[in-house]
Amino acid sequence: MSPDLTPTPQDKFTFGLWTVGFQGRDPFGAETRPPLDPTDTVRKLAELGAYGVCFHDDDLLPPEADDGERERIKGDFKKALDETGMKVSIATTNLFTHPVFKDGAFTANDREVRRYALQKVMRAIDLGAELGAPIYVFWGGREGVEADAAKPARDALERYREAIDFLCGYVRDRGYDMRFALEPKPNEPRGDIFLPTVGHMLAFIERLDHSDMVGVNPEVAHDTMAGLSFLHGVAQAIWAGKLFHIDLNAQRVGRYDQDFRFGAVGLKDAFFLVKLLEDSGYDGPRHFDAKPLRMESQDGVWDFAAGCMRTYLALKEKASTCGADSEIAAAEADAKVAELALDTVGAYTSDRADELLAEAHDLDSLGARECGNERLDQLAVDLILGLR
Amino acid sequence: MSPDLTPTPQDKFTFGLWTVGFQGRDPFGAETRPPLDPTDTVRKLAELGAYGVCFHDDDLLPPEADDGERERIKGDFKKALDETGMKVSIATTNLFTHPVFKDGAFTANDREVRRYALQKVMRAIDLGAELGAPIYVFWGGREGVEADAAKPARDALERYREAIDFLCGYVRDRGYDMRFALEPKPNEPRGDIFLPTVGHMLAFIERLDHSDMVGVNPEVAHDTMAGLSFLHGVAQAIWAGKLFHIDLNAQRVGRYDQDFRFGAVGLKDAFFLVKLLEDSGYDGPRHFDAKPLRMESQDGVWDFAAGCMRTYLALKEKASTCGADSEIAAAEADAKVAELALDTVGAYTSDRADELLAEAHDLDSLGARECGNERLDQLAVDLILGLR
Amino acid sequence: MSPDLTPTPQDKFTFGLWTVGFQGRDPFGAETRPPLDPTDTVRKLAELGAYGVCFHDDDLLPPEADDGERERIKGDFKKALDETGMKVSIATTNLFTHPVFKDGAFTANDREVRRYALQKVMRAIDLGAELGAPIYVFWGGREGVEADAAKPARDALERYREAIDFLCGYVRDRGYDMRFALEPKPNEPRGDIFLPTVGHMLAFIERLDHSDMVGVNPEVAHDTMAGLSFLHGVAQAIWAGKLFHIDLNAQRVGRYDQDFRFGAVGLKDAFFLVKLLEDSGYDGPRHFDAKPLRMESQDGVWDFAAGCMRTYLALKEKASTCGADSEIAAAEADAKVAELALDTVGAYTSDRADELLAEAHDLDSLGARECGNERLDQLAVDLILGLR
Amino acid sequence: MSPDLTPTPQDKFTFGLWTVGFQGRDPFGAETRPPLDPTDTVRKLAELGAYGVCFHDDDLLPPEADDGERERIKGDFKKALDETGMKVSIATTNLFTHPVFKDGAFTANDREVRRYALQKVMRAIDLGAELGAPIYVFWGGREGVEADAAKPARDALERYREAIDFLCGYVRDRGYDMRFALEPKPNEPRGDIFLPTVGHMLAFIERLDHSDMVGVNPEVAHDTMAGLSFLHGVAQAIWAGKLFHIDLNAQRVGRYDQDFRFGAVGLKDAFFLVKLLEDSGYDGPRHFDAKPLRMESQDGVWDFAAGCMRTYLALKEKASTCGADSEIAAAEADAKVAELALDTVGAYTSDRADELLAEAHDLDSLGARECGNERLDQLAVDLILGLR
């Protein structure tokens, strides 16, 4: 009997306006789909079982809109949220489309550009606060370089730090109940983007004035582009208490930013990711920062959105059965999985050091022990394939 | 007139015993070269102009050697150091060759293995201290996983932290004047290695009890395997005050660990790396953690070692001329390179926020500005090619 | 009710002696397992349901064995084959382990090495013929280069061609009923290996004197290392009538040669590969050229072998149900999958050209058509996950 | 004394209208530069020393232009060519921008799209012929797939073959003196593009009806994206007599299509590529299919174009000095480079087989020989760095 895989708001699935609203433009092709109206998006996603939506400032409010138009759009949007119960999960700023940001925003060599970028974010933070976003996301897509001679990395990091520190100050000064989530990406659209992985971003955050209010927003596609284990990146973020938000999608290693439907590539990796999120008690949004294939028309867009949620739920269901599977439990015991949670020695004391130094070990027999990883891994494959 | 590219100890070039001593074994082939005697290596490297050598415990002292044999080897080695003036730049532990470490050392699921790993490191630290190593390097080559079901990453990070904390305690307790440098690598020999990049390692260090005595040892090949900008990784380490040591070699992106002669691939990247190291005031060893090609016989090994140093010096010489090159200076000015070092706004105050919000910007003209990166980058290429 | 996933010889599963016999040595570690006796391997694999085995000359006959020893080993091996009904599926030559091949075999710069390589292959072909191998595989693992200055690629291709042509002549002259399968790989153990992908190899074969008797032996891990679609490579080989053999395993993109258990990574890709093989009528061996994880002891080796076959059978079972799944059929119809098999226009004639030129097309409506790929892809995911 | 690096038409440098004319749009950003007028481009490139230009049909003639407008544009363009002496080096078709091609052109599942694609190419071939293009290029950027279920690769190859065969027929029927050059690419904008590398394309060409008139157009960025040796791909194309055209630029491995200025990445690879082209007698255009950085304004575009040519000439100059460099010659002799050009054994005869089988080889001493690759490679580095 199949499990029920119908999404509900309790599942906390969210979509950016720019995801289902992606019109299909790519470096070699024009748009294939008309724009979506944000309120229609809210209603349709609610119908599909989503929990909320999110947006860049310019997704919701066209830059050229006058004040009246902006108020009207916000009113309509709030009305759609109220009527559907949908939440604004995060807000963020578009610091990448306009030519002004062609050399970066917070790290543009031109100081006026850097100042304008801060201004744009401050206004967008106000918008996010007004619409109830508890998290503000920063993706520094243009903060990077193609010509290393032109942008000293240490100066760039210093400007980046200055910008985030300043904006933390702004949020606190305004009294907003809002935390920041920084999103790393290794490259594209810049040759090399600063703070390219979850690890670099976590390290950067430690150098901030208000590091307590800043965490990360890892994206499957981004660390996967560099062929890193996304699972390990997310685990390190959780271990550090810094997983504030997550972007789910799919990506092949070593390619352009694909943003495929969640689970479309890497089903086993997706399984372990879902298991980690669920086991860890992460209670934030499961955000699908993915794009429907360019070839799709409107029906395909909603198939895409439904598919993201369906695959997540299917993997969550599978993950939830592990505990009760006695063969898996036995294989875990053989592989000594639980033993890794035990202290090796505890905090340093001279006595413990002496004790360690005095121990004798039979290396040959220890080296010949069974580890049982092939069997345990095959059981995971069986579970994913629906064979158990 | 060509610059003098003869290495001297002042250049601080070092080699691991395992580098020039690499016998050429690879996953598909047997050794092609006989072993080198460590004291011969010291003398030959001194002759070539190196500053020092480094070693894993087992490189210097065969695990099967008895106490008398160990003392004899250490005596001979110290004698060679004394006679040549060569230094021991770092020491480290082999936690990867013996089958006992097949599932990890500090993060092995088997607790006895973890305890043995600590014991082995403590003894190797004693050896390093005895031979004057100011830095102790940790490369956790087996700390990883192929089957995610078998090793929860958060538990592994906790054990990793426990191990480094304990060993910091040991060094302090023993009163050694020694700092730790942790070396990240994304994969190989494990499917995924924990703490895969400079960024992840920097973030990990912040969670340690004695993080002040722990920095990183980035390796060109390692971050490059994942296609990340090694330059940016090193810059972030310097920015964080954490560049304690560096491993220089060459590597193509997305391949097995190649450990090529420094500069053999990626000349432009190597140039900017050398420039960063020299400009930053980094005064630690320039360690060539590279391997002579398996096909080489003994002459080729020394050609390799000489080549590593020669290319470094050639690039250093080129980097040193940038400042006096008026065309480069003009191009840097056009690209506003120095402007990136200026504060964007300074620390947060309400007044500064108001000022920023009140500013008007002409986005069209700002977006149309010349950035001059193609020209500046071409000048760097010209410099590297010896055209200026 | 689960399908029966017990392998039988009809499934044509084969293993190389070097696969289950892999002792776990890697670039950073010593052997973790004792050697397996070839006859034990034959018996154990037969017991697990395999169809056959294969070998390099040196896997079966140690190079140092004298004639008597060689005859004894061959006798024992034949006896094990006879008693179990196991077949020798292919034979091949070890042209990579001995230092003599450090600069290549057929493409070594040293002519004597090239001549010795031919001699070794001729003897190994005799052995393969004696033991009934219908296919002879060539993996040119050392045919490559790290220093482009040292080995002109066009000369190397010419020597490669000369070698294969000569060996085709030998097989024909000896009257062996044997075809050749050439196995491409992009890199490792050489920096760049010649004829790096299925495509390059197929093109090379067209330049051979007896190209009819030469096809390819694609390996999942090899084209996947380069991030290419292995599915498309195999499809092109089948399309060209050149799929003579196949090596199944698993690999992450952009890494060292991992040779994981089939299906351990890339389940969806594995599904489409199995479907292609089964749908195409390919009737050769399904060879698992994979390696048990180094950490495993002997039980884990057989878990590994069983897992390879189990996952193949599970995916084959899933693939076989596609035809009878009406929802999948409907989605395929919406995506016009079958329409791709129709001629676009047929062979060139002036009339057809005129007809084409005269046609009018409504590009806007054609551009707005639904393609239904998201839905069809999600159905494939559902099938793989066991949800249908 | 520096060599003269001023380009002249004899150097055969060409640029596509879409290269210097690239307006800077990328997946995350709007255009940063105004369009260039084709005739201005011709004049400016002539001034910089280029030999010719090339174009997609839509680059020159806007799809919406009426007949009068088209004639006017062509007239102006021819006039600019005549006045400057610039040539049309190739022509090609835009089969990727319009939504109609969202699922492919020659391999679209929809048959009407396939027919329209043929029509569009036929018209564009007429245009190319009218403007004197001796080569017609095909880049099948949309011929690929994201959902393997939706597009059987063998059917796609069959349609691809049908299309090229038909168009060969058309060119012959029309009596055009024109050959085809097919351009492979592994991915982007499609998840996987058919015929992803030089190798796959060369193999495909062998299956065509008029394979003699069809060759390849390799592009640095494309094979490099997959981390393959572009040098070896081009060498194989030359070896097969199939290098009809070449696209020069720069690219980092495993990333989005970067199309950097020639030499901006991979200087050593660029050196060996230039050396191969010059040594091989290739006399076709050196086409820079690269894009100025998005951040550049108009001055930067021409800096970019000048830089492409300058680096090529600098590397060509260096390559030309190899022959007269006695130290390089000695190192080549030590590495037995010339010996690779000698027959190993010649064509098969029984006598030669017997002779080979009878030879005795001292494997130990042969395995211990010096290969001298480190030294030869370092000399190449020295040459590139301007140290010799």
Side-chain angles (χ1 to χ4, degrees):
Chain A
M1 198 190 64
S2 282
D4 182 9
L5 302 177
T6 310
T8 71
Q10 285 70 42
D11 296 313
K12 289 213 152 174
F13 293 134
T14 63
F15 291 86
L17 291 182
W18 68 92
T19 64
V20 291
F22 173 60
Q23 290 184 251
R25 209 184 72 175
D26 71 20
F28 300 93
E31 288 79 356
T32 59
R33 292 186 288 266
L36 288 183
D37 180 85
T39 60
D40 291 346
T41 299
V42 168
R43 288 178 214 280
K44 182 65 187 179
L45 289 173
E47 198 182 307
L48 290 173
Y51 163 82
V53 290
C54 48
F55 51 81
H56 301 87
D57 49 355
D58 301 344
D59 298 338
L60 187 63
L61 303 177
E64 65 280 7
D66 63 18
D67 284 358
E69 178 72 357
R70 295 167 67 91
E71 290 306 314
R72 190 196 56 72
I73 292 172
K74 286 192 285 184
D76 290 351
F77 190 66
K78 284 180 194 169
K79 186 154 170 287
L81 293 171
D82 284 348
E83 289 174 7
T84 57
M86 292 274 282
K87 308 294 184 210
V88 169
S89 53
I90 61 147
T92 184
T93 324
N94 184 325
L95 294 173
F96 43 86
T97 298
H98 194 284
V100 77
F101 301 123
K102 63 188 180 181
D103 179 40
F106 299 153
T107 65
N109 285 9
D110 188 295
R111 186 168 174 268
E112 185 182 354
V113 172
R114 301 199 299 267
R115 290 180 68 86
Y116 169 65
L118 284 175
Q119 183 193 69
K120 191 171 196 287
V121 176
M122 290 156 77
R123 288 174 178 163
I125 283 175
D126 291 345
L127 173 67
E130 179 182 353
L131 293 171
I135 299 274
Y136 203 85
V137 164
F138 292 83
W139 171 62
R142 297 277 174 208
E143 316 296 1
V145 72
E146 291 85 25
D148 286 315
K151 200 179 287 290
R154 289 176 293 164
D155 289 340
L157 291 173
E158 199 55 25
R159 294 289 78 69
Y160 216 140
R161 186 198 55 67
E162 183 193 4
I164 303 293
D165 279 347
F166 190 90
L167 294 166
C168 284
Y170 182 72
V171 163
R172 293 159 56 97
D173 188 18
R174 285 297 194 260
Y176 296 148
D177 184 16
M178 186 183 270
R179 296 188 301 164
F180 287 178
L182 310 188
E183 177 176 337
K185 188 179 183 187
N187 66 79
E188 192 189 359
R190 299 305 300 268
D192 288 291
I193 298 177
F194 295 116
L195 304 172
T197 74
V198 170
H200 296 78
M201 199 58 94
L202 288 171
F204 172 76
I205 289 168
E206 299 289 337
R207 288 288 178 282
L208 297 174
D209 282 347
H210 302 287
S211 60
D212 53 306
M213 67 180 278
V214 187
V216 289
N217 177 38
E219 175 168 329
V220 174
H222 294 180
D223 282 46
T224 302
M225 287 167 66
L228 300 174
S229 168
F230 186 67
L231 182 74
H232 287 184
V234 173
Q236 188 172 354
I238 294 173
W239 181 70
K242 289 296 187 189
L243 186 70
F244 284 14
H245 192 258
I246 193 161
D247 280 352
L248 302 171
N249 53 24
Q251 169 78 30
R252 287 190 186 271
V253 171
R255 301 202 182 176
Y256 70 97
D257 188 9
Q258 299 184 306
D259 283 344
F260 287 146
R261 196 180 74 252
F262 182 64
V265 175
L267 278 172
K268 196 173 150 200
D269 293 332
F271 168 74
F272 284 109
L273 176 62
V274 168
K275 187 167 189 310
L276 173 66
L277 291 175
E278 298 298 324
D279 290 353
S280 72
Y282 169 75
D283 66 353
R286 277 74 174 155
H287 177 235
F288 297 107
D289 190 6
K291 290 176 186 155
L293 295 174
R294 178 177 182 265
M295 70 165 61
E296 295 298 308
S297 194
Q298 205 54 51
D299 287 356
V301 169
W302 304 121
D303 290 340
F304 151 87
C308 285
M309 296 188 283
R310 176 174 175 81
T311 299
Y312 189 99
L313 289 176
L315 296 174
K316 178 179 170 181
E317 167 69 23
K318 287 172 189 288
S320 74
T321 68
C322 282
D325 186 316
S326 59
E327 197 176 351
I328 290 178
E332 287 177 343
D334 287 348
K336 300 192 178 180
V337 176
E339 192 169 317
L340 186 61
L342 303 181
D343 273 8
T344 301
V345 57
Y348 183 81
T349 67
S350 294
D351 285 351
R352 283 175 175 159
D354 291 344
E355 195 185 332
L356 268 180
L357 286 170
E359 284 181 1
H361 302 284
D362 178 346
L363 299 187
D364 287 344
S365 82
L366 206 51
R369 73 192 187 278
E370 292 282 353
C371 287
N373 274 224
E374 290 283 3
R375 179 163 154 249
L376 184 54
D377 193 62
Q378 182 65 36
L379 288 170
V381 169
D382 282 10
L383 184 64
I384 293 165
L385 294 180
L387 301 178
R388 52 187 315 112
Chain B
M1 200 191 61
S2 283
D4 183 10
L5 302 177
T6 310
T8 71
Q10 286 67 46
D11 295 314
K12 289 212 153 177
F13 293 133
T14 63
F15 290 85
L17 292 182
W18 69 91
T19 63
V20 291
F22 173 60
Q23 291 183 252
R25 211 184 70 176
D26 73 18
F28 300 94
E31 288 78 357
T32 59
R33 292 186 289 265
L36 288 184
D37 179 86
T39 60
D40 292 346
T41 300
V42 168
R43 288 177 213 282
K44 181 67 186 179
L45 288 172
E47 197 183 308
L48 291 173
Y51 162 82
V53 289
C54 47
F55 51 82
H56 300 86
D57 48 356
D58 303 343
D59 298 338
L60 187 63
L61 303 177
E64 65 281 5
D66 62 20
D67 283 359
E69 178 73 357
R70 294 166 69 90
E71 289 307 312
R72 190 195 58 73
I73 293 172
K74 285 191 286 184
D76 290 351
F77 191 67
K78 284 180 194 171
K79 185 155 170 285
L81 294 171
D82 284 348
E83 289 174 7
T84 57
M86 292 273 282
K87 307 295 184 211
V88 169
S89 54
I90 62 148
T92 184
T93 325
N94 183 325
L95 295 173
F96 42 86
T97 299
H98 195 283
V100 75
F101 301 122
K102 63 188 182 181
D103 179 42
F106 300 154
T107 64
N109 285 9
D110 187 294
R111 186 169 174 266
E112 185 183 352
V113 173
R114 300 199 298 268
R115 290 180 68 87
Y116 169 65
L118 284 175
Q119 182 193 69
K120 191 170 196 288
V121 176
M122 289 156 76
R123 289 175 178 164
I125 283 176
D126 291 344
L127 174 68
E130 179 182 351
L131 294 171
I135 299 273
Y136 203 85
V137 164
F138 293 82
W139 171 61
R142 297 277 173 206
E143 317 294 1
V145 72
E146 291 84 26
D148 286 315
K151 201 180 287 290
R154 289 177 292 162
D155 289 341
L157 292 172
E158 198 56 24
R159 293 290 76 71
Y160 217 141
R161 185 198 57 66
E162 183 194 3
I164 303 294
D165 279 347
F166 190 90
L167 294 166
C168 284
Y170 182 73
V171 164
R172 292 159 57 97
D173 188 18
R174 285 296 195 260
Y176 296 148
D177 185 16
M178 187 184 268
R179 295 187 303 164
F180 287 177
L182 311 187
E183 177 176 336
K185 188 178 182 186
N187 65 78
E188 193 190 358
R190 299 306 300 268
D192 288 292
I193 297 178
F194 295 117
L195 304 171
T197 75
V198 171
H200 296 78
M201 199 57 92
L202 287 171
F204 172 76
I205 290 169
E206 300 289 338
R207 288 287 179 280
L208 296 174
D209 280 349
H210 302 288
S211 61
D212 52 307
M213 66 178 278
V214 187
V216 290
N217 176 36
E219 176 168 327
V220 173
H222 294 180
D223 282 47
T224 302
M225 288 168 66
L228 299 174
S229 167
F230 186 68
L231 183 74
H232 287 184
V234 173
Q236 187 172 354
I238 294 172
W239 182 70
K242 289 296 188 189
L243 186 69
F244 283 13
H245 192 257
I246 192 160
D247 281 352
L248 302 171
N249 53 22
Q251 169 78 29
R252 288 191 185 270
V253 171
R255 301 203 183 175
Y256 70 97
D257 187 10
Q258 300 184 307
D259 283 343
F260 287 147
R261 197 181 71 251
F262 182 64
V265 176
L267 279 171
K268 196 174 152 200
D269 293 333
F271 167 75
F272 284 110
L273 176 62
V274 169
K275 188 168 189 309
L276 173 66
L277 290 176
E278 299 298 325
D279 289 354
S280 73
Y282 169 75
D283 66 354
R286 278 72 173 156
H287 177 235
F288 297 107
D289 191 6
K291 291 176 186 156
L293 294 174
R294 178 178 182 266
M295 71 165 60
E296 294 300 307
S297 194
Q298 203 54 51
D299 287 356
V301 169
W302 305 121
D303 290 341
F304 150 88
C308 286
M309 297 187 283
R310 177 174 175 80
T311 299
Y312 189 100
L313 289 176
L315 296 175
K316 178 179 169 181
E317 167 70 22
K318 288 171 187 288
S320 74
T321 68
C322 281
D325 186 317
S326 60
E327 198 176 350
I328 290 178
E332 286 177 344
D334 287 349
K336 300 191 178 180
V337 176
E339 193 169 319
L340 186 61
L342 304 181
D343 273 7
T344 301
V345 57
Y348 184 81
T349 66
S350 295
D351 286 351
R352 283 173 176 162
D354 291 344
E355 196 185 330
L356 269 181
L357 286 169
E359 284 181 1
H361 301 283
D362 178 347
L363 299 188
D364 286 344
S365 82
L366 206 52
R369 73 192 186 279
E370 292 282 353
C371 288
N373 274 223
E374 291 282 4
R375 181 164 154 249
L376 184 54
D377 193 62
Q378 182 65 39
L379 287 170
V381 168
D382 283 9
L383 184 63
I384 293 165
L385 294 179
L387 301 178
R388 52 187 314 113
Chain C
M1 198 190 66
S2 283
D4 182 10
L5 301 178
T6 311
T8 71
Q10 286 69 44
D11 296 313
K12 288 210 153 177
F13 293 132
T14 63
F15 291 85
L17 291 182
W18 69 92
T19 63
V20 290
F22 172 61
Q23 291 183 251
R25 211 184 69 176
D26 72 19
F28 300 93
E31 288 78 357
T32 58
R33 292 186 289 263
L36 287 184
D37 179 85
T39 60
D40 292 346
T41 300
V42 168
R43 288 178 215 280
K44 181 67 186 178
L45 288 172
E47 199 181 307
L48 291 173
Y51 163 81
V53 288
C54 47
F55 52 81
H56 301 86
D57 49 355
D58 302 343
D59 298 337
L60 187 63
L61 302 177
E64 65 281 6
D66 64 19
D67 283 359
E69 178 72 358
R70 294 167 68 90
E71 289 309 311
R72 190 195 58 72
I73 292 171
K74 285 193 286 183
D76 290 351
F77 190 67
K78 283 180 194 169
K79 185 153 170 285
L81 293 171
D82 284 349
E83 289 173 7
T84 57
M86 292 274 282
K87 308 294 183 211
V88 169
S89 53
I90 61 149
T92 184
T93 323
N94 183 325
L95 295 173
F96 43 86
T97 298
H98 195 283
V100 76
F101 301 123
K102 63 189 181 179
D103 179 42
F106 300 154
T107 65
N109 285 9
D110 187 294
R111 187 170 175 266
E112 185 182 353
V113 172
R114 301 200 297 267
R115 290 180 67 86
Y116 168 65
L118 284 175
Q119 183 193 69
K120 190 170 197 288
V121 176
M122 290 156 76
R123 288 175 177 162
I125 284 176
D126 292 344
L127 173 68
E130 179 182 351
L131 293 172
I135 300 274
Y136 203 85
V137 164
F138 293 82
W139 172 61
R142 296 277 173 207
E143 316 294 2
V145 72
E146 290 85 26
D148 286 316
K151 201 179 285 290
R154 289 177 293 163
D155 290 340
L157 291 172
E158 199 56 25
R159 293 290 76 73
Y160 216 142
R161 185 199 56 66
E162 184 193 3
I164 303 294
D165 279 348
F166 190 89
L167 294 166
C168 285
Y170 182 72
V171 163
R172 292 160 56 97
D173 188 18
R174 284 296 195 263
Y176 296 148
D177 185 17
M178 187 183 269
R179 295 187 302 165
F180 287 176
L182 310 187
E183 178 176 335
K185 188 178 182 185
N187 66 78
E188 195 193 354
R190 298 306 300 269
D192 288 291
I193 297 177
F194 295 117
L195 304 171
T197 75
V198 171
H200 296 79
M201 199 58 93
L202 288 170
F204 172 75
I205 289 169
E206 298 289 337
R207 288 287 177 283
L208 297 173
D209 281 350
H210 302 288
S211 61
D212 52 306
M213 67 180 277
V214 187
V216 289
N217 177 38
E219 175 168 329
V220 174
H222 294 181
D223 282 47
T224 302
M225 286 168 66
L228 300 174
S229 168
F230 186 69
L231 183 76
H232 287 183
V234 173
Q236 187 172 353
I238 294 172
W239 181 70
K242 289 296 187 190
L243 185 70
F244 283 14
H245 192 257
I246 192 160
D247 281 351
L248 302 172
N249 51 24
Q251 169 79 29
R252 287 190 186 270
V253 170
R255 301 203 183 175
Y256 70 98
D257 188 9
Q258 300 184 306
D259 284 343
F260 287 146
R261 196 180 73 252
F262 182 63
V265 176
L267 279 171
K268 196 174 152 198
D269 293 333
F271 168 75
F272 284 110
L273 176 62
V274 168
K275 189 169 189 306
L276 173 67
L277 290 175
E278 298 298 325
D279 289 354
S280 73
Y282 169 76
D283 65 354
R286 277 74 173 156
H287 178 234
F288 297 107
D289 191 6
K291 289 177 187 154
L293 294 174
R294 178 176 182 269
M295 72 165 61
E296 296 298 307
S297 193
Q298 205 54 52
D299 287 355
V301 169
W302 305 120
D303 290 340
F304 151 87
C308 285
M309 297 188 282
R310 177 174 176 81
T311 300
Y312 189 100
L313 289 176
L315 296 174
K316 178 179 169 181
E317 166 69 22
K318 287 171 188 288
S320 74
T321 67
C322 282
D325 186 317
S326 60
E327 197 176 350
I328 291 178
E332 286 177 344
D334 287 349
K336 299 191 178 181
V337 176
E339 193 169 316
L340 186 61
L342 303 181
D343 274 6
T344 302
V345 57
Y348 184 82
T349 67
S350 295
D351 285 352
R352 284 174 175 161
D354 290 345
E355 195 184 331
L356 268 181
L357 286 169
E359 284 180 1
H361 301 283
D362 178 347
L363 299 187
D364 287 344
S365 83
L366 206 51
R369 74 193 186 278
E370 291 282 352
C371 287
N373 274 224
E374 290 282 4
R375 182 166 153 244
L376 184 54
D377 193 61
Q378 182 65 38
L379 287 170
V381 169
D382 282 8
L383 185 63
I384 293 164
L385 294 180
L387 302 178
R388 49 187 316 112
Chain D
M1 196 191 66
S2 283
D4 183 9
L5 301 177
T6 311
T8 71
Q10 286 69 42
D11 296 313
K12 289 213 153 175
F13 294 133
T14 63
F15 291 86
L17 292 182
W18 69 91
T19 63
V20 291
F22 172 61
Q23 292 183 250
R25 210 185 71 176
D26 72 20
F28 300 92
E31 288 78 357
T32 59
R33 293 186 288 264
L36 288 184
D37 179 86
T39 61
D40 292 345
T41 300
V42 168
R43 289 179 214 280
K44 180 67 187 179
L45 288 173
E47 198 182 307
L48 290 173
Y51 164 82
V53 289
C54 47
F55 51 82
H56 301 86
D57 48 355
D58 302 344
D59 297 337
L60 188 62
L61 303 177
E64 65 282 6
D66 64 20
D67 283 358
E69 178 71 357
R70 295 167 67 90
E71 289 308 313
R72 190 196 57 72
I73 292 171
K74 286 193 285 184
D76 290 350
F77 191 67
K78 285 180 193 169
K79 186 154 169 286
L81 293 171
D82 284 349
E83 289 175 6
T84 57
M86 292 274 282
K87 309 294 184 211
V88 169
S89 53
I90 61 147
T92 185
T93 324
N94 183 325
L95 296 173
F96 43 86
T97 299
H98 195 283
V100 75
F101 301 122
K102 64 188 181 182
D103 179 42
F106 299 154
T107 65
N109 285 9
D110 187 294
R111 186 170 175 265
E112 185 181 353
V113 172
R114 301 199 298 266
R115 290 180 67 86
Y116 169 66
L118 284 175
Q119 184 193 68
K120 190 170 196 289
V121 176
M122 290 156 76
R123 288 174 177 163
I125 284 175
D126 291 344
L127 173 68
E130 179 182 351
L131 294 172
I135 300 272
Y136 202 84
V137 164
F138 292 82
W139 171 61
R142 296 278 173 207
E143 317 294 2
V145 70
E146 291 85 26
D148 287 314
K151 200 179 287 290
R154 288 177 293 163
D155 289 341
L157 291 172
E158 197 56 25
R159 293 290 77 71
Y160 215 141
R161 187 200 55 67
E162 183 193 3
I164 303 294
D165 279 347
F166 190 89
L167 294 166
C168 284
Y170 181 72
V171 163
R172 292 159 56 96
D173 188 19
R174 285 296 194 262
Y176 296 148
D177 184 18
M178 186 183 271
R179 295 187 302 165
F180 287 177
L182 311 188
E183 177 177 336
K185 188 178 182 186
N187 65 80
E188 194 191 357
R190 298 307 299 269
D192 289 291
I193 297 178
F194 296 117
L195 304 171
T197 75
V198 170
H200 297 78
M201 198 57 94
L202 288 170
F204 172 77
I205 290 168
E206 299 289 336
R207 290 286 178 282
L208 296 174
D209 281 348
H210 302 288
S211 60
D212 53 306
M213 67 180 279
V214 187
V216 289
N217 177 38
E219 176 169 327
V220 174
H222 294 179
D223 282 47
T224 301
M225 287 167 66
L228 300 174
S229 167
F230 186 68
L231 182 75
H232 287 184
V234 173
Q236 187 173 354
I238 294 172
W239 182 70
K242 290 296 188 191
L243 186 70
F244 284 14
H245 192 257
I246 192 160
D247 281 353
L248 302 171
N249 52 23
Q251 169 79 29
R252 288 190 186 268
V253 170
R255 301 202 184 176
Y256 71 96
D257 189 10
Q258 300 183 306
D259 283 344
F260 287 146
R261 196 180 75 253
F262 182 64
V265 176
L267 279 172
K268 195 173 150 199
D269 293 332
F271 168 73
F272 284 110
L273 176 62
V274 168
K275 187 167 190 307
L276 173 66
L277 290 175
E278 298 299 324
D279 289 353
S280 74
Y282 169 76
D283 66 354
R286 275 75 173 156
H287 177 234
F288 297 107
D289 191 5
K291 290 177 187 154
L293 295 174
R294 178 177 183 265
M295 71 165 59
E296 296 298 308
S297 194
Q298 205 55 50
D299 287 355
V301 169
W302 304 120
D303 290 340
F304 151 87
C308 285
M309 296 188 284
R310 176 174 176 80
T311 299
Y312 189 100
L313 290 176
L315 296 175
K316 178 179 170 181
E317 167 70 21
K318 288 172 188 287
S320 74
T321 67
C322 282
D325 186 317
S326 59
E327 198 176 350
I328 291 178
E332 287 177 343
D334 287 347
K336 300 192 177 180
V337 176
E339 193 169 316
L340 186 62
L342 303 180
D343 274 6
T344 302
V345 57
Y348 184 82
T349 67
S350 295
D351 287 351
R352 284 174 174 161
D354 291 343
E355 195 184 330
L356 269 181
L357 286 170
E359 284 181 1
H361 301 284
D362 178 347
L363 299 188
D364 286 344
S365 82
L366 207 50
R369 74 195 187 276
E370 292 281 352
C371 287
N373 274 225
E374 291 281 3
R375 181 165 153 244
L376 185 53
D377 193 62
Q378 182 65 38
L379 288 170
V381 168
D382 282 8
L383 185 62
I384 293 164
L385 294 180
L387 301 179
R388 50 189 315 113

